[in-house]
Amino acid sequence: MSGLVSTYKILKEYNLIVEYHTGILDADSFINFKKKIALDPLFLPNLHFFVHLKNVTFNTNMQDIDKYANFLEANSKIFGNRRVALITNTPNQVVSTTMFKMLQQNRSQSVEVFSTNESALEWLNSRLDKDEILGVLASLMLA
């Protein structure tokens, strides 16, 4: 894996942004990706996020995670009130996402870490079912 490859799909009818990431994740590449999403004409501040990180290796430290948390805090009006489900499956992913959850001070977002798509969708109160989310993720993998 080299670099970060990130794709997303905005599903306004489900009040959801589905993100798919693969490769090496660093703070700057992730921040730049979030800026790109915010510029999308379909973007709305209060959309919830389903963030698939199972194919990512985090190349981050506490300062990087703090940098990302500060970026979100500084842009809280852009990103609005939302739930963010982070889907992980390795210790590297769980540690980094849990540290972010602990560091983030943005009261307008609620962050949880999950190991399954189903539990994340349930927490997000999404009407998407597991087959639909797998279809969306499959289309993002090919994008």
Side-chain angles (χ1 to χ4, degrees), residues 15 17 25 31-33 35-37 56 58-59 62 64 66-67 70 76 81 89 106 113 124:
N15 195 45
I17 298 175
L25 185 147
I31 288 170
N32 289 334
F33 175 72
K35 288 177 181 177
K36 177 182 169 185
I37 290 175
V56 164
F58 282 82
N59 183 21
M62 286 297 288
D64 295 327
D66 194 46
K67 179 180 181 178
N70 288 335
S76 62
N81 295 315
N89 69 348
N106 187 346
V113 179
L124 289 167

Side-chain angles (χ1 to χ4, degrees), residues 63-124:
Q63 291 82 14
D64 295 327
I65 294 168
D66 194 46
K67 179 180 181 178
Y68 178 65
N70 288 335
F71 161 76
L72 289 178
E73 180 65 27
N75 293 283
S76 62
K77 289 183 178 155
I78 294 170
F79 289 104
N81 295 315
R82 68 201 175 285
R83 286 181 165 214
V84 179
L86 305 171
I87 299 83
T88 63
N89 69 348
T90 70
N92 168 268
Q93 297 160 356
V94 172
V95 168
S96 293
T97 55
T98 302
M99 288 181 358
F100 165 69
K101 179 183 172 185
M102 292 170 45
L103 281 177
Q104 67 99 17
Q105 299 297 313
N106 187 346
R107 301 292 179 232
S108 64
Q109 81 173 357
S110 180
V111 177
E112 290 295 334
V113 179
F114 298 92
S115 60
T116 68
N117 297 334
E118 295 82 10
S119 58
L121 289 171
E122 184 177 320
W123 180 76
L124 289 167

